[in-house]
Amino acid sequence: MVVPGSSSTAGATPASGREALLEALDRSLGILTLTPDGVIVDVNDKLLGVLGYTRNELIGKAHTLLCEAGDSTCGDALAQVLNTRRAHTGQVRRLRRDGSTVWLEATYNPVFDANGNLTFVIKLAVDVSARVARQAADDAHLHLLSLAVDETDNAVLIVDAQGSVCYVNAGFTRMLGYAASEVVGQSAHVPLGGSSAGEFVDGAAAVDIKQALAGCLVAARNGRSCHCEVLVHTAQRQPLWVSVVTNPILDASGKLVNAVVLFTDITQSKIQEVLQHKALAAMVRDAPLVEVLTLVCRELEQIAPEVMASVVRVDAEGRLRPQAGPSLPAGYHKTVDGVAIGPNVGTCGTAAFQARPVIVTDIASDPRWADFREMAAEYGLAASWAMPIIANDGRVLGVLAFYYRTPRGPDALHERLVDVCVHLCKLAFERDESRTRIRQLAFSDSLTGLPNRSMLGVLAAQAIASAAELNTRMAVIFIDLDRFKQVNDSLGHQAGDVLLRTIAQRLRRSLRGADIVARLSGDEFVAVLTECDPLRLDIAIERMRNALTAPCLVDGVTLVPSGSFGIGLYPNHGREFDILLQRADMAMYQAKMTSPGSVRVYNEDMNIHAQERLELETAMRDALRLGKLQLFYQPQINLLDDSVYGVEALTRWMHPQHGDVPPSRFIALAEECGLIGELGTWTLRESCRQLADWRRRGVGIGNVSVNLSPTNFHDHDLPHTIAQALADHELPPSCLAIEITESVLMDHNPSTLRIIEEVHNMGVRLSMDDFGTGYSSLGYLRRLPVSELKLDRSFVHDIARDETVRALTNAIISIGRNLHLTVVAEGVEDEAQRDLLVAQGYRVAQGYLFSPALSAGGLERWLEQWAMRRRTFNAIQS
């Protein structure tokens, strides 16, 4: 096809090149040439093939031949070119010869003559029918999808990359009550509010919507989906639990364009989850019935604030007994308490009597409230709904009731709440009944028949109440059998049980009927003497001791039992049984420690001592758990050149109330209360950590000595603990020395020597601390892998003024020299002591002459000063 006005010589393009270009266009594009008035003057084969016409059928015809009848837009594109004298592009629909339609992507290009007059319009067209069909299908699909999104019960919200709302579906409005106009353009969390304390769950447990959506937006920007459950508020300020799922929409480069947020109402399941979790958790921790039921009522009222909830129990006589009703006035509970159930006894009494739900939508006019209408009006109760709580055996255990401040009935939410809570109340009532039966079975000791601890508490409380009313005195006596374990170990537990039963009978017979004897636990008994003056107490103690110590035959063996007695007096030593029992226990402990089989009366010094010890033990546990202990380090000096040989790690404890607790006190306490192993492990790990830090920073500390208790060497894991501490900080074993006392060497525990040998085999040095103050067994010294001895400070203290001491220190250094052991002198305080030690051949020392024990930071500063002092001294010497 030749374009009008073209010339084989026009322009710079060679004729052959122009012809090739035109041929390519002719093959790929449909081309139609029109006069300005719309008459077809030429058409190429490509377009004829699309339209189904021959060239003769179109040439000379108006282009409207290709338009549908009545298509008012048929000439718009041509008119646009005529008016603007510029090209125009757009999609047009045209008719094929067979009557079917075709969509063309067409460009109308004007062609001007040399005088600038429009001569032709060339239409370049491409068949896009398939694309238009796909677009139409996509549009239809999107329309259906939009309908589906709007009709779903889920709320759909689309936000941009900054979190501003772009779109919400109709389900969003139905679920949350907000119109699209109220939400679009705002941050997603703004209209939804956040959780507040006391709604559904405690404030700390509910996830804040702003925080949750912000976290999901961060996940979306990273291309990840996000899921969370949050508490939101509807436009009517009703709380609503929703599951929120966020999915990102990313562009080709992976950048977030939009995020789709799907809200699903999970209020029903959450109500059940929260209520059941809290109520069952309270039951698991053995909370009283009233506490459990009050918790249920409070949770109900937090979910449905328009409700005042209550639970009443129906007793064995068919009377109402209020158990919980936190929002109802105390006067209401007082009025209802003891009322017999019946057919016209308000809502609760009627529901309990008929064993079925009762709804009263207007208390003021309902005949079942005739006898209680004035009370209801006084307390603002306008309507109520009661649901009986029925046991598995058909008994009515109680009633769960909802009260309203306006005439009305329950709604769907209230019905869902009742479904959950009636079941929970039933569990609580049945659990309480079971506990009551168990208590009845559990108040006596199965071995001796005496009251056990539980019954003792009840009986003693009654006795104290009586003593308070009658203004009389009484005594609590704590009795602990002496050497009872030996009976069990030698004769067996069956013999021990026989002895316990015998002693229980003797104690019971030795006291009056008004007195109380109970078995507390194991070999411990408690006697409570009522109306007891000093003379009566002396007589009773003598009778009990005589009864206790009388010989008895057990399994063919004659035993002479004895017991230690501790006494707490009412009201002198306390007005509550627990306090009296505790103080009698303290007195018994003192008796047992000082003279087994004796009697002690409580005094305040016992309490002070016991309290201080307990406080200190608790504080030490906390100090270990919270890292409140601290290591100080005392440098050890090479006496030949004043270089630093190493440091000894010493544990320090500064307590906010007790001040600086001396090691002699807290280490002994740690051994008593079983914390010495944990203390030793902490000291090892902290020493290794600090040494590794110094070595990394080039601080001049090469090794550290750590003190361990004899008890630490009973721990089979000690070698592994040491190895792990060294490995964690990449330290060689040779940089660590473990200081042990001579008492470790005398330990009869068969594993002690084996553990010492294992530690030595690791390459860790062993140092014998306080050498010369204990057994000083040279035989053990020969057999054990000790590489260092530490001369006790008591020798150093007297070395300058006591010739005998100098002879001993000289002997000790000789032992060390002959056994190739390093000997470290402790407690060097002046130059005279140093000079004598050097003269005797000591090469390492520590003490206040050089430095006290310092914190890690203090030691580093001391090292700088010590190095400067050495440099100054060396400069003077040179």
Side-chain angles (χ1 to χ4, degrees):
M1 174 183 177
V2 177
V3 179
S6 66
S7 172
S8 62
T9 61
T13 306
S16 60
R18 180 180 291 272
E19 289 174 359
L21 176 61
L22 291 174
E23 288 177 2
L25 290 174
D26 192 47
R27 286 193 302 271
S28 59
L29 296 174
I31 303 175
L32 183 74
T33 304
L34 303 172
T35 63
D37 56 358
V39 176
I40 301 171
V41 298
D42 200 2
V43 58
N44 72 344
D45 292 339
K46 179 73 174 180
L47 188 58
L48 289 173
V50 171
L51 297 175
Y53 285 94
T54 65
R55 181 173 282 101
N56 292 333
E57 289 174 327
L58 294 180
I59 299 297
K61 303 294 192 300
H63 77 98
T64 54
L65 173 69
L66 302 176
C67 297
E68 292 180 314
D71 183 357
S72 60
T73 64
C74 180
D76 287 355
L78 182 60
Q80 181 76 10
V81 174
L82 295 175
N83 292 334
T84 64
R85 296 173 64 83
R86 294 179 179 176
H88 174 75
T89 299
Q91 283 186 358
V92 296
R93 188 171 63 177
R94 295 292 181 255
L95 282 178
R96 292 190 177 96
R97 189 175 188 281
D98 61 5
S100 62
T101 59
V102 59
W103 281 94
L104 302 175
E105 185 79 40
T107 300
Y108 292 79
N109 298 287
V111 179
F112 302 94
D113 62 15
N115 297 321
N117 298 316
L118 180 67
T119 57
F120 297 101
V121 175
I122 298 176
K123 174 181 177 181
L124 305 179
V126 176
D127 184 357
V128 293
S129 299
R131 190 207 313 168
V132 171
R134 285 196 304 273
Q135 183 65 45
D138 289 345
D139 290 344
H141 176 72
L142 288 174
H143 178 66
L144 292 174
L145 183 61
S146 177
L147 290 176
V149 168
D150 276 341
E151 292 304 317
T152 182
D153 289 335
N154 298 96
V156 179
L157 176 146
I158 301 177
V159 299
D160 60 20
Q162 287 70 45
S164 296
V165 178
C166 306
Y167 167 83
V168 296
N169 72 336
F172 186 92
T173 301
R174 289 194 298 272
M175 179 185 293
L176 298 166
Y178 293 100
S181 59
E182 298 177 89
V183 179
V184 173
Q186 295 196 49
S187 292
H189 68 269
V190 170
L192 304 180
S195 60
S196 59
E199 291 186 309
F200 283 37
V201 293
D202 297 336
V207 179
D208 182 74
I209 181 66
K210 180 176 180 180
Q211 177 185 355
L213 289 180
C216 285
L217 192 60
V218 170
R221 289 178 182 138
N222 293 326
R224 294 183 286 106
S225 297
C226 175
H227 174 255
C228 59
E229 294 179 355
V230 295
L231 179 64
V232 300
H233 292 91
T234 67
Q236 295 75 37
R237 303 309 298 161
Q238 289 295 315
L240 194 72
W241 270 106
V242 292
S243 168
V244 182
V245 177
T246 305
N247 289 301
I249 300 174
L250 309 176
D251 62 15
S253 63
K255 184 178 179 181
L256 181 68
V257 178
N258 295 101
V260 179
V261 186
L262 182 69
F263 294 82
T264 304
D265 183 358
I266 57 170
T267 304
Q268 172 67 18
S269 61
K270 206 67 179 181
I271 286 173
Q272 186 164 346
E273 175 188 331
V274 171
L275 283 172
Q276 284 192 352
H277 173 75
K278 288 198 169 186
L280 294 177
M283 294 183 206
V284 167
R285 63 180 171 82
D286 210 25
L289 176 66
V290 170
E291 182 180 332
V292 175
L293 297 177
T294 300
L295 182 148
V296 171
C297 289
R298 289 192 187 280
E299 293 299 323
L300 282 171
E301 293 169 355
Q302 289 162 4
I303 297 171
E306 66 277 11
V307 169
M308 292 179 286
S310 78
V311 181
V312 295
R313 178 171 58 86
V314 179
D315 67 14
E317 298 176 356
R319 297 183 179 275
L320 300 178
R321 302 296 178 185
Q323 302 295 298
S327 296
L328 291 170
Y332 167 84
H333 297 300
K334 186 176 181 181
T335 302
V336 171
D337 190 23
V339 172
I341 63 174
N344 290 294
V345 184
T347 313
C348 289
T350 305
F353 181 78
Q354 296 176 348
R356 61 181 177 83
V358 172
I359 298 176
V360 174
T361 56
D362 187 1
I363 289 176
S365 60
D366 195 290
R368 288 167 289 195
W369 276 85
D371 294 340
F372 307 96
R373 194 166 289 134
E374 291 183 5
M375 176 198 72
E378 179 184 354
Y379 297 133
L381 308 180
S384 63
W385 175 32
M387 176 71 70
I389 302 166
I390 301 175
N392 292 334
D393 59 8
R395 290 178 300 117
V396 176
L397 301 172
V399 178
L400 170 65
F402 283 12
Y403 293 92
Y404 304 96
R405 298 173 182 84
T406 58
R408 58 166 293 174
D411 59 23
L413 174 62
H414 301 161
E415 291 173 356
R416 289 189 291 181
L417 289 171
V418 164
D419 288 343
V420 174
C421 294
V422 164
H423 175 65
L424 293 175
C425 291
K426 175 188 171 185
L427 285 178
F429 276 119
E430 291 179 339
R431 166 183 163 274
D432 187 67
E433 287 187 345
S434 297
R435 290 175 63 202
T436 300
R437 286 193 295 271
I438 291 170
R439 281 197 299 269
Q440 292 170 348
L441 296 173
F443 268 143
S444 62
D445 174 51
S446 59
L447 177 65
T448 64
L450 294 177
N452 61 10
R453 180 187 287 269
S454 299
M455 179 60 83
L456 172 64
V458 173
L459 297 176
Q462 295 172 352
I464 288 175
S466 177
E469 183 178 353
L470 299 175
N471 195 28
T472 58
R473 290 181 284 186
M474 56 179 284
V476 175
I477 304 169
F478 200 112
I479 308 163
D480 184 270
L481 301 185
D482 299 325
R483 300 178 302 279
F484 178 73
K485 186 175 183 300
Q486 294 179 12
V487 176
N488 275 338
D489 292 344
S490 58
L491 301 180
H493 288 278
Q494 186 173 0
D497 290 347
V498 172
L499 179 61
L500 289 173
R501 282 194 290 268
T502 301
I503 289 173
Q505 295 167 5
R506 291 179 176 183
L507 291 174
R508 177 66 272 172
R509 288 195 297 265
S510 68
L511 298 177
R512 300 173 304 169
D515 296 329
I516 302 164
V517 178
R519 183 187 176 206
L520 203 59
S521 64
D523 59 349
E524 297 174 340
F525 295 85
V526 173
V528 179
L529 308 184
T530 60
E531 299 182 22
C532 179
D533 56 28
L535 178 59
R536 163 85 184 99
L537 175 62
D538 288 343
I539 295 172
I541 289 291
E542 189 64 24
R543 286 172 59 90
M544 283 191 289
R545 293 184 72 189
N546 289 337
L548 184 62
T549 56
C552 61
L553 189 65
V554 176
D555 283 356
V557 179
T558 300
L559 301 177
V560 181
S562 67
S564 300
F565 288 65
I567 302 171
L569 300 175
Y570 172 89
N572 308 54
H573 300 149
R575 294 180 175 273
E576 295 179 5
F577 174 66
D578 287 344
I579 294 175
L580 289 169
L581 183 63
Q582 178 191 30
R583 293 179 172 176
D585 189 8
M586 292 180 193
M588 183 280 299
Y589 181 79
Q590 288 294 318
K592 205 171 192 68
M593 290 299 102
T594 55
S595 178
S598 62
V599 180
R600 291 288 186 276
V601 178
Y602 168 81
N603 63 65
E604 194 60 33
D605 289 342
M606 295 178 185
N607 189 31
I608 294 172
H609 176 75
Q611 286 184 353
E612 286 181 351
R613 184 187 179 282
L614 181 60
E615 288 175 7
L616 203 60
E617 178 183 336
T618 303
M620 187 171 188
R621 291 183 187 277
D622 291 341
L624 276 168
R625 180 172 54 86
L626 301 175
K628 297 295 185 182
L629 297 178
Q630 187 179 4
L631 282 186
F632 274 45
Y633 302 88
Q634 186 172 40
Q636 298 169 329
I637 304 301
N638 188 319
L639 297 177
L640 295 181
D641 58 7
D642 280 347
S643 62
V644 176
Y645 171 79
V647 294
E648 179 182 1
L650 301 166
T651 307
R652 295 291 183 264
W653 181 19
M654 178 59 71
H655 189 273
Q657 281 80 42
H658 297 284
D660 189 4
V661 183
S664 59
R665 185 176 183 191
F666 70 75
I667 289 175
L669 178 64
E671 289 180 332
E672 287 180 27
C673 60
L675 292 175
I676 193 64
E678 188 176 348
L679 178 60
T681 300
W682 176 84
T683 304
L684 272 170
R685 289 176 177 167
E686 178 62 16
S687 299
C688 289
R689 184 202 64 78
Q690 184 60 64
L691 181 59
D693 176 62
W694 280 331
R695 290 164 73 101
R696 278 193 302 270
R697 293 189 288 118
V699 178
I701 302 296
N703 56 75
V704 64
S705 299
V706 176
N707 291 276
L708 291 184
S709 161
T711 309
N712 291 119
F713 287 88
H714 297 167
D715 181 6
H716 293 274
D717 290 332
L718 178 61
H720 173 74
T721 301
I722 295 173
Q724 190 64 51
L726 291 169
D728 287 345
H729 301 287
E730 300 178 351
L731 293 173
S734 59
C735 72
L736 177 64
I738 302 297
E739 297 192 10
I740 57 178
T741 60
E742 294 181 4
S743 59
V744 173
L745 306 180
M746 308 302 147
D747 194 330
H748 295 293
N749 191 306
S751 64
T752 298
L753 295 179
R754 178 182 56 79
I755 292 172
I756 290 174
E757 190 67 37
E758 286 184 28
V759 172
H760 169 71
N761 290 339
M762 293 165 50
V764 174
R765 294 176 293 115
L766 294 173
S767 175
M768 184 179 290
D769 198 13
D770 301 334
F771 185 72
T773 60
Y775 299 99
S776 298
S777 172
L778 298 183
Y780 274 108
L781 192 59
R782 177 180 59 83
R783 289 167 43 204
L784 290 174
V786 175
S787 58
E788 183 178 276
L789 302 178
K790 297 196 75 174
L791 179 68
D792 186 67
R793 66 184 62 248
S794 61
F795 291 101
V796 176
H797 182 268
D798 295 328
I799 192 172
R801 56 176 177 268
D802 191 324
E803 188 175 340
T804 302
V805 169
R806 286 197 296 274
L808 290 173
T809 57
N810 194 50
I812 290 172
I813 191 64
S814 297
I815 292 172
R817 186 183 302 115
N818 292 329
L819 295 178
H820 306 290
L821 305 177
T822 300
V823 183
V824 180
E826 294 185 294
V828 179
E829 298 181 355
D830 56 46
E831 291 291 348
Q833 294 171 347
R834 172 183 173 142
D835 292 343
L836 285 169
L837 290 168
V838 171
Q840 288 187 339
Y842 285 85
R843 295 294 176 260
V844 183
Q846 65 187 88
Y848 275 47
L849 174 62
F850 311 107
S851 171
L854 301 169
S855 65
L859 181 64
E860 292 179 24
R861 291 188 290 274
W862 176 89
L863 283 170
E864 293 176 1
Q865 297 169 0
W866 185 256
M868 185 179 297
R869 172 184 164 182
R870 289 183 64 202
R871 286 194 298 270
T872 302
F873 178 78
N874 291 336
I876 293 173
Q877 291 293 102
S878 61

